[in-house]
């Protein structure tokens, strides 16, 4: 132990800096608000709980447009530097991993330039504004040979991983139905301003790309690829006060809610629905999957639990079983607390960041557990086809 010395009867040892046996990885985060905070928390927590870490994230730099806000965030979170120009962060030689937590409009260019600068890239969902951008991003990371992941963090819920294990093992038999909703209520007040998530120029779509992207990615992760869709979108409040001048209003040009039917390539059928107008639903992502041998049910607002039904159970005890997914046999749990000491939403980001950094340091494949930019492209195709279907009022096939 470096700097050890006798202090009376107590030996004192000084730990200076990161123990040399632990590698570091320089991280630069684009964006400092909601997702910037969730990701930073994960970078700080990961090496403590996944110890020894594959590498300890070094909070090199954070970036945001407003210097007063991003400098405050850098101080608060513990970043060494801050930038108001994303290009400077991407070019910073100390940054090995660029984490793009900016609005959807700003996913493509910074992620492509990061890849071209030889940086690994984590990009928040949805990957892009449209399929064309998503494909350019995917081509760029492939050309650069860097690791690439999309922030579909719900893949990293232990209960979702248990669901995937049961499905992949055939415990549910042949999958017949996928049924998912992702319901929130945060913009029901007409006085809620026209923030970037409600503007087509910044987000491309509303509940569809924001919440729908998650349950569409989980559809692919748990059931398989989608063959065709039939969608419906709705905007309940057509205009809202402008954040920059509440006395003026702007048009809401994205969906407040969507519903879509899915035909999967493996013959299963599905429905996905997301809305920001469901009073009482805070962050209510609920999934039911039914197979020939049984069913599972997951609710994000009770994310430590998975309800499982098996037709193989004896008739006198057949019924949904509630599994508390907090035993160390389940992924990631052994890194936290004893069983029953439940985890939360933020832990899914710690798991995601651990997986990414482990794959970077040990050159492991991000998928199938994590979503790569390829998965981001496939999700983008389904999003775009749902919009096309809603506009044209017909079923639309997903490009092969
Ligand atoms: C929307 O409010 C939102 O923050 C999404 O953008 C996130 O992806 C989701 O995890 C929680 O809800």
């Amino acid at each position: 132990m470096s700097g050890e010395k006798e202090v009376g009867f107590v030996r004192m040892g000084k730990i200076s800096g990161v123990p040399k046996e632990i590698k570091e990885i320089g991280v630069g985060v684009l964006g400092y608000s909601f997702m910037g905070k969730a990701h930073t928390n994960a970078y700080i927590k990961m090496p403590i709980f996944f110890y020894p870490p594959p590498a300890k994230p070094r909070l090199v730099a954070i970036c945001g447009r407003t210097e007063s806000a991003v400098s405050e965030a850098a101080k608060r979170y513990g970043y060494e530097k801050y930038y108001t120009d994303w290009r400077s962060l991407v070019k910073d030689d100390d940054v090995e991993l660029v984490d793009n937590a900016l609005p959807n409009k700003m996913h493509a260019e910074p992620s492509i330039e990061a890849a071209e600068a030889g940086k690994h890239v984590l990009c928040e969902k949805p990957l892009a504004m449209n399929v064309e951008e998503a494909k350019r991003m995917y081509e760029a990371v492939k050309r650069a040979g860097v690791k690439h992941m999309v922030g579909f963090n719900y893949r990293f819920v232990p209960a979702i991983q248990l669901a995937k294990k049961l499905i992949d093992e055939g415990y549910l038999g042949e999958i017949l139905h996928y049924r998912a909703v992702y319901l929130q209520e945060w913009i029901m007040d007409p006085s809620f301003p026209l923030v970037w998530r409600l503007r087509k120029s910044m987000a491309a779509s509303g509940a569809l790309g924001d919440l729908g992207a998650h349950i569409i990615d989980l559809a692919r992760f748990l059931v398989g690829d989608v063959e065709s869709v039939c969608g419906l979108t709705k905007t309940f409040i057509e205009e809202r006060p402008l954040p920059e001048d509440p006395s003026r209003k702007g048009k809401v040009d994205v969906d407040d809610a969507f519903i879509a039917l899915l035909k999967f390539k493996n013959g299963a059928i599905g429905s996905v629905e997301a809305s920001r107008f469901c009073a009482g639903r805070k962050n209510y992502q609920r999934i039911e999957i039914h197979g020939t041998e049984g069913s599972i049910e997951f609710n994000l607002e009770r994310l430590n639990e998975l309800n499982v039904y098996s037709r193989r159970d004896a008739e006198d005890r057949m019924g949904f079983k509630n599994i508390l997914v907090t035993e160390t046999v389940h992924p990631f749990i052994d890194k936290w607390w004893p069983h029953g000491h439940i985890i939360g939403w933020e832990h899914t980001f710690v798991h995601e960041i651990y997986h990414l950094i482990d794959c970077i340091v040990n050159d492991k494949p991000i998928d199938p557990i994590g979503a790569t930019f390829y998965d981001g492209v496939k999700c983008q195709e389904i999003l775009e086809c749902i919009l096309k279907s809603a506009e044209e009022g017909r079923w639309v096939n997903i490009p092969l």
Side-chain angles (χ1 to χ4, degrees), residues 34-35 125 154 182 184 186 197 210-211 214 283 345:
F34 189 7
M35 282 302 141
K125 38 52 61 181
Y154 298 122
Y182 200 162
Q184 296 179 346
W186 56 286
R197 278 188 166 87
D210 186 24
L211 304 175
H214 280 298
N283 196 27
W345 182 77

Side-chain angles (χ1 to χ4, degrees), residues 247-314:
S247 66
R248 292 169 46 230
K249 289 199 170 186
K251 179 172 168 40
V252 177
D253 52 4
V254 296
D255 56 289
D256 289 328
F258 91 98
I259 302 174
L261 300 176
L262 310 176
K263 288 179 191 170
F264 290 88
K265 286 185 179 167
N266 63 13
I269 59 174
S271 63
V272 285
E273 177 180 357
S275 174
R276 293 161 165 165
F277 276 75
C278 294
R281 295 304 189 195
K282 309 303 178 179
N283 196 27
Y284 184 79
Q285 180 199 98
R286 184 172 172 278
I287 296 169
E288 272 200 14
I289 298 176
H290 304 281
T292 52
E293 297 302 324
S295 304
I296 59 107
E297 178 200 17
F298 170 76
N299 172 358
L300 181 59
E301 291 180 356
R302 302 176 70 93
L303 68 78
N304 290 277
E305 302 170 30
L306 187 70
N307 290 327
V308 180
Y309 183 100
S310 171
R311 299 181 71 226
R312 295 185 184 88
D313 286 351

